[in-house]
Amino acid sequence: MFSTKERLKRRTPKIGINRENFIKLLVEEFYQTTDIEAKEQVSANLANFAYDPINYDYLKQSNVLDLFLELLGHVNPVLVNHGITGICNFCLDPEIKEQLIDPNRLKFVLNLIKIDTEPGIACNCVTIIIFLLSPDIKDSLKEFTIDEILKNYLKSSDTRLKNLATILLEDLQKLEHTLPFKAGDTIKTKRIITQSDLDKFSEVSGDHNPIHKAGQQKSPIVHGAFLNSIISGIIGTQLPGPGTEVISQIFSFPNKCYPDKEIEIEVELKDTRKIMKIVYKCVQDGKIVFDGEARVMYKASSSFLLSTFFIIISTSNFAYGSTIRDFRQNALIDSAKFSSSLASLGRNLTNANNNPDLTPCTCGIFLTSQFKKGSTEQPTGNPVLMSEINQVFPCNLAGQKMCQNKCLDSIVKHLPNSPMILCGSVDRDIHKERAYLWIQNCSPKWSNTNLSAGREYCCKAGEYYKCPF
């Protein structure tokens, strides 16, 4: 979201070291030096690099996760803090998540949450468990009596820690309830799509391509979107079932599908984590005509990422170097009011007019100096940060809301390091400016969501510093 390989090349001097080699050198320095201050400096840099997904492959190549885990058992509290914050940033990577679920690695985080009650460290530990939470780690959590620890956190004077403990306790309660499905569950059914079905689908979708019409060619072809809609119907009503939200899909059409012939349909649930994987295929005359996989969220956890944007502003703020900046809580909302607002948003999306025009979604972060609040004028200059969502949405109010929510989902992953990310992206000094989310959906013009992290940023020479009162 925050960097590209081209950007890294531009920022690397001709005689400089590229990011991959620089990370390797940092790891070598950490293990070779006996100086504690040098270890603190190196571990802080590695934890900073873990905020940006573009560095994930480089960090994995150098086994930085194991380095972070080693730090959790260190007697130096600074190194412990760097280790847990690095893991908190890094656990968003799917491969790293799989490794952390392993009980032999997870125990390092759980051991730390039992012995260290410092709010910053505890916040990072709880956040990691929230992202990892699935039936796969259920037994490990019971063994470490995580419920009792979280209940003690509810008494904490630290608002961040109380909010995080509340979220995790709610998620644990949902996990205790027996789900109506399990990994490996499969739905098999058969379907014959008639020419009449194709004609109706053409009317609804607006796809009047003659290849789907009888009489226009020898053998009409079934719409690919029609096959996908059948799979979507099974996912949304049977497996996992009502309330399921599709996050992403990858699919292909290896062979043509024809009307008035039987289609064998198979949908299988591969796992039951927060974001579940489903594989599916449609077979006609022994040939696969449609296959793919989908990532979905079941209704029990579908609002988590969006809600955390408002509830958690930061779990740790790293400065470049070996020190950790003071945390400031800037934006909290009442959870009951948020649930009500979320329900209202769901109703608005359901009732929104359907528009067949699908457009891409782009997220942009602009500073207050780039636009006039309350004005309809476009912001000046380029966004400080920009991300393109790999999905398309309807060009209407519902689509704009969906685009906005996807942008929020993307942003929340990087909030803990927002000061350093923002300051490292601007090419000028800034003083007491706020950052606002803008989106592009139905037109090339930017639309202000009026959503801000609720804090002021100060940067000098590309580095963050605490704004004066």
Side-chain angles (χ1 to χ4, degrees):
M1 172 179 178
F2 300 106
S3 299
T4 63
K5 290 183 178 179
E6 290 72 20
R7 177 179 171 82
L8 289 180
K9 288 179 181 178
R10 289 198 304 269
R11 298 188 67 180
T12 302
K14 291 183 179 180
I15 59 173
I17 302 173
N18 64 33
R19 182 65 58 84
E20 180 181 1
N21 289 331
F22 184 61
I23 289 175
K24 288 180 180 178
L25 290 173
L26 285 176
V27 174
E28 290 176 7
E29 181 184 354
F30 179 86
Y31 285 116
Q32 291 174 2
T33 184
T34 57
D35 184 81
I36 289 297
E37 288 189 6
K39 285 182 178 289
E40 291 176 356
Q41 178 77 33
V42 169
S43 59
N45 285 330
L46 290 172
N48 274 328
F49 281 132
Y51 79 75
D52 195 334
I54 199 170
N55 297 319
Y56 286 173
D57 286 341
Y58 306 143
L59 294 167
K60 285 185 285 189
Q61 289 167 15
S62 296
N63 297 319
V64 173
L65 175 62
D66 289 337
L67 186 153
F68 286 151
L69 290 170
E70 288 178 28
L71 294 180
L72 303 191
H74 207 282
V75 294
N76 184 315
V78 174
L79 293 179
V80 173
N81 212 340
H82 292 176
I84 195 64
T85 307
I87 295 172
C88 190
N89 290 332
F90 206 9
C91 71
L92 300 173
D93 179 82
E95 291 182 28
I96 295 301
K97 179 178 179 181
E98 289 292 333
Q99 294 180 40
L100 283 170
I101 287 174
D102 185 320
N104 291 325
R105 284 190 168 96
L106 184 61
K107 67 181 181 182
F108 287 95
V109 176
L110 296 178
N111 279 329
L112 184 61
I113 204 173
K114 287 188 73 172
I115 63 174
D116 201 317
T117 56
E118 194 279 317
I121 289 178
C123 282
N124 279 305
C125 290
V126 176
T127 302
I128 292 167
I129 296 171
I130 288 172
F131 276 106
L132 300 181
L133 190 60
S134 71
D136 296 321
I137 66 170
K138 189 175 177 181
D139 292 340
S140 295
L141 296 180
K142 282 186 176 180
E143 180 182 343
F144 279 83
T145 60
I146 192 71
D147 288 40
E148 295 303 317
I149 296 171
L150 293 174
K151 288 174 183 176
N152 287 332
Y153 287 165
L154 294 179
K155 304 172 186 176
S156 172
S157 59
D158 190 290
T159 308
R160 303 167 300 161
L161 186 53
K162 286 197 294 186
N163 283 333
L164 286 165
T166 300
I167 292 170
L168 183 51
L169 279 171
E170 291 176 355
D171 283 357
L172 285 169
Q173 290 173 358
K174 293 170 185 175
L175 192 63
E176 284 299 319
H177 297 301
T178 303
L179 295 173
F181 48 79
K182 64 183 183 299
D185 281 357
T186 304
I187 298 289
K188 294 183 179 181
T189 186
K190 296 180 180 180
R191 172 80 181 266
I192 294 178
I193 299 175
T194 66
Q195 183 61 52
S196 175
D197 293 331
L198 293 186
D199 294 339
K200 292 176 183 177
F201 190 83
S202 292
E203 289 298 322
V204 172
S205 66
D207 183 357
H208 295 287
N209 190 327
I211 64 174
H212 306 304
K213 301 289 185 181
Q216 307 245 350
Q217 61 176 41
K218 187 175 180 180
S219 300
I221 301 171
V222 175
H223 305 72
F226 198 155
L227 295 173
N228 196 22
S229 68
I230 293 173
I231 297 296
S232 178
I234 294 174
I235 291 174
T237 61
Q238 299 182 60
L239 186 69
T244 303
E245 177 186 355
V246 176
I247 304 301
S248 64
Q249 278 184 281
I250 301 173
F251 52 77
S252 63
F253 303 94
N255 295 284
K256 295 177 181 179
C257 182
Y258 301 102
D260 301 314
K261 284 188 173 184
E262 187 175 80
I263 305 168
E264 298 176 7
I265 303 166
E266 182 175 320
V267 178
E268 181 184 357
L269 180 64
K270 301 299 287 185
D271 59 55
T272 55
R273 295 172 184 165
K274 282 202 170 204
I275 298 181
M276 297 178 279
K277 178 181 178 181
I278 293 176
V279 297
Y280 48 82
K281 63 181 178 180
C282 297
V283 178
Q284 188 179 72
D285 294 334
K287 296 179 180 179
I288 295 177
V289 295
F290 178 50
D291 67 345
E293 66 178 57
R295 299 285 178 173
V296 305
M297 268 188 173
Y298 191 54
K299 62 180 180 180
S301 59
S302 61
S303 64
F304 167 71
L305 283 178
L306 181 58
S307 64
T308 52
F309 175 79
F310 297 96
I311 297 174
I312 314 162
I313 290 302
S314 180
T315 58
S316 64
N317 283 336
F318 266 101
Y320 290 104
S322 62
T323 59
I324 297 177
R325 299 293 186 186
D326 292 337
F327 173 85
R328 286 289 183 271
Q329 183 71 24
N330 290 299
L332 294 171
I333 68 167
D334 181 85
S335 58
K337 290 181 180 178
F338 175 78
S339 299
S340 175
S341 299
L342 193 64
S344 175
L345 172 60
R347 290 192 294 272
N348 291 339
L349 294 180
T350 302
N351 297 329
N353 293 326
N354 184 30
N355 190 321
D357 295 329
L358 297 177
T359 58
C361 169
T362 303
C363 324
I365 301 295
F366 286 91
L367 299 174
T368 45
S369 63
Q370 295 180 272
F371 65 94
K372 296 179 181 178
K373 290 196 69 175
S375 171
T376 58
E377 296 179 8
Q378 287 290 287
T380 59
N382 296 320
V384 177
L385 302 168
M386 188 169 71
S387 173
E388 292 184 0
I389 302 299
N390 190 27
Q391 283 182 255
V392 292
F393 303 99
C395 186
N396 55 21
L397 178 60
Q400 290 177 341
K401 289 292 185 182
M402 294 176 190
C403 173
Q404 175 179 305
N405 292 344
K406 287 297 180 183
C407 289
L408 292 179
D409 285 353
S410 179
I411 289 171
V412 68
K413 301 174 184 179
H414 304 279
L415 280 176
N417 296 286
S418 61
M420 281 59 66
I421 296 168
L422 189 144
C423 291
S425 300
V426 295
D427 55 4
R428 61 182 175 85
D429 294 345
I430 63 175
H431 181 69
K432 289 191 173 182
E433 293 195 41
R434 295 178 183 272
Y436 281 80
L437 172 64
W438 293 62
I439 62 171
Q440 283 181 343
N441 179 227
C442 293
S443 74
K445 293 185 177 181
W446 288 103
S447 175
N448 191 356
T449 67
N450 292 312
L451 293 174
S452 167
R455 66 176 299 162
E456 293 178 330
Y457 294 91
C458 291
C459 310
K460 188 174 181 63
E463 295 193 9
Y464 167 75
Y465 67 93
K466 187 177 175 182
C467 293
F469 290 108

